[in-house]
């Protein structure tokens, strides 16, 4: 039972991290599985292979670098939001242990995909606001904060999964406040 709760906490923490950078948490999970730090679900063990580790590592570096190019980062956000939902779902499915497939997939879609999409959508709105107000000059700062948050959240999720849940709650609360403030300004 405790392993199931820890696996759910890990999945949700990594899903929130996916909302900031799609490949950082996937790479972190791949590295952890490759080093034997986490046992993935049977059909997802390929994520812990050396070839997956290399591919995800290259994708991580490319993604991080691309977000430092103004206007390209906004284009990436339009693709990253649906990808984040898919990756958040995949991360959740690959980590959840000892649940029936129906419960695992429902949890993965709702908690994993939903959390990742919410974080990605808000982060995209923040970058769009940055582009509109600074002409893209401040976008590298936004990118640095997002990348740093993705790295920290991924590490905390893997090392301290239960603490990651509390951080996810804080992130979701900040997102909700940002959304309310943004919605009020538009009205």
């Amino acid at each position: 039972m405790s392993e199931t709760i820890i696996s759910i906490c890990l999945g949700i923490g990594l899903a929130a991290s996916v909302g900031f950078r799609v490949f950082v948490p996937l790479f972190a999970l791949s590295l952890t599985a490759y080093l034997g730090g986490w046992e993935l679900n049977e059909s997802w063990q390929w994520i812990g292979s050396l070839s997956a580790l290399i591919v995800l590592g290259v994708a991580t570096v490319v993604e991080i670098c691309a977000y430092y190019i103004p206007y390209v980062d906004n284009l990436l956000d339009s693709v990253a939001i649906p990808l984040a939902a898919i990756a958040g779902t995949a991360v959740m499915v690959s980590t959840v242990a000892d649940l029936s497939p129906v419960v695992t997939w429902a949890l993965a879609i709702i908690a994993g995909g939903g959390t990742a999409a919410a974080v990605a959508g808000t982060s995209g709105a923040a970058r769009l606001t940055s582009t509109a107000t600074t002409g893209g000059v401040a976008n590298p700062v936004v990118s640095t904060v997002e990348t740093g948050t993705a790295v920290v959240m991924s590490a905390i999720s893997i090392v301290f999964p239960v603490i990651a849940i509390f951080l996810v709650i804080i992130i979701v609360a900040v997102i909700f406040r940002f959304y309310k403030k943004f919605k009020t300004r538009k009205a």
Side-chain angles (χ1 to χ4, degrees), residues 138-179:
N139 287 18
V141 174
V142 173
S143 292
T144 300
V145 169
E146 290 173 348
T147 300
T149 304
V151 169
V152 168
M153 274 302 299
S154 294
I156 289 172
S157 296
I158 289 168
V159 179
F160 304 110
V162 176
I163 293 173
I165 284 297
F166 294 107
L167 293 176
V168 169
I169 292 168
I170 292 168
I171 288 170
V172 170
V174 168
I175 287 170
F176 181 72
R177 283 188 178 185
F178 178 79
Y179 179 75

Side-chain angles (χ1 to χ4, degrees), residues 26-50:
L26 291 170
F27 175 71
L29 182 61
S30 179
L31 181 62
T32 302
Y34 181 75
L35 297 175
W38 188 262
E39 184 74 27
L40 298 170
N41 283 338
E42 192 173 310
S43 61
W44 292 85
Q45 289 182 356
W46 61 270
I47 293 174
S49 70
L50 180 60

Side-chain angles (χ1 to χ4, degrees), residues 25-103:
L26 291 170
F27 175 71
L29 182 61
S30 179
L31 181 62
T32 302
Y34 181 75
L35 297 175
W38 188 262
E39 184 74 27
L40 298 170
N41 283 338
E42 192 173 310
S43 61
W44 292 85
Q45 289 182 356
W46 61 270
I47 293 174
S49 70
L50 180 60
S51 57
L53 182 64
I54 292 168
V55 169
L56 290 170
V58 170
T60 299
V61 171
V62 169
E63 179 185 32
I64 289 170
C65 291
Y67 269 102
Y68 282 100
I69 304 168
Y71 300 102
V72 170
D73 55 358
N74 290 314
L75 290 173
L76 286 173
D77 278 336
S78 64
V79 175
I81 294 170
L83 282 179
I86 294 167
T89 301
V91 162
M92 192 77 180
V93 160
S94 69
T95 60
V96 173
D98 300 329
L99 292 176
S100 75
V102 172
V103 174

